């Protein structure tokens, strides 16, 4: 039985989720009335979170396919993913912005992370087909 590939609709939805999350988050930062160092903090957390979830998705997938992944690397991937979420949460909790803005950043961040995971999964699935 041949393995079914990733549908074009899911690939497109994944890229749209990643783009909407990232662009929305960054546009929100650019337009925000906060100090540059605070904007830098939130931007760095976005980059850290995106890298962490892509790395975690790869490590999880490698383990599922019986490709050797050390326990230390696997643990670091989980730690980085969870710490990016915790750092954003703590930053937003202590921020002096409207609750609606806090929610906007939280949801844009989570959408970007989901999109990054899905894009990485689709990329890997499509590589396996070739």
């Amino acid at each position: 039985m041949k393995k079914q590939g990733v549908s074009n609709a899911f690939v497109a939805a994944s890229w749209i989720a990643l783009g909407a999350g990232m662009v929305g988050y960054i546009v929100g930062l650019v337009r925000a009335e906060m100090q540059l160092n605070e904007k830098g903090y939130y931007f760095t957390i976005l980059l850290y979170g995106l890298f962490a979830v892509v790395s975690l998705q790869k490590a999880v997938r490698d383990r599922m396919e019986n490709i050797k992944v050390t326990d230390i690397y696997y643990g670091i991937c989980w730690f980085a993913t969870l710490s990016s979420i915790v750092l954003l949460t703590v930053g937003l909790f202590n921020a002096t912005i409207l609750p609606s803005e806090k929610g906007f950043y939280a949801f844009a961040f989570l959408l970007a992370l989901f999109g990054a995971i899905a894009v990485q999964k689709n990329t890997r699935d499509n590589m396996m087909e070739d």
Side-chain angles (χ1 to χ4, degrees):
M1 188 165 146
K2 186 181 176 206
K3 185 177 177 184
Q4 183 176 349
V6 180
S7 72
N8 290 337
F10 186 67
V11 170
S14 300
W15 278 104
I16 290 168
L18 175 60
M22 283 181 62
V23 170
Y25 188 95
I26 292 168
V27 167
L29 278 181
V30 169
R31 295 184 46 83
E33 292 182 16
M34 59 178 75
Q35 293 183 4
L36 189 57
N37 62 336
E38 197 174 358
K39 290 180 181 186
Y41 174 80
Y42 289 115
F43 181 70
T44 302
I45 289 176
L46 176 65
L47 296 179
Y48 177 49
L50 291 172
F51 182 80
V53 296
V54 168
S55 190
L56 177 62
Q57 194 282 335
K58 182 184 180 334
V60 168
R61 183 72 175 267
D62 283 351
R63 282 192 164 194
M64 287 175 55
E65 294 173 357
N66 295 319
I67 298 171
K68 180 73 174 143
V69 175
T70 64
D71 290 338
I72 290 175
Y73 183 76
Y74 188 70
I76 288 170
C77 290
W78 272 108
F79 176 78
T81 298
L82 295 174
S83 66
S84 71
I85 295 167
V86 168
L87 286 168
L88 180 73
T89 303
V90 169
L92 290 176
F93 181 79
N94 291 307
T96 56
I97 57 178
L98 295 172
S100 59
E101 291 177 287
K102 292 178 182 186
F104 169 81
Y105 287 116
F107 282 105
F109 182 77
L110 293 175
L111 181 61
L113 294 190
F114 169 78
I117 292 168
V119 167
Q120 166 66 14
K121 178 206 169 296
N122 295 340
T123 301
R124 179 124 176 205
D125 287 347
N126 286 335
M127 283 178 50
M128 301 299 277
E129 284 180 16
D130 297 339

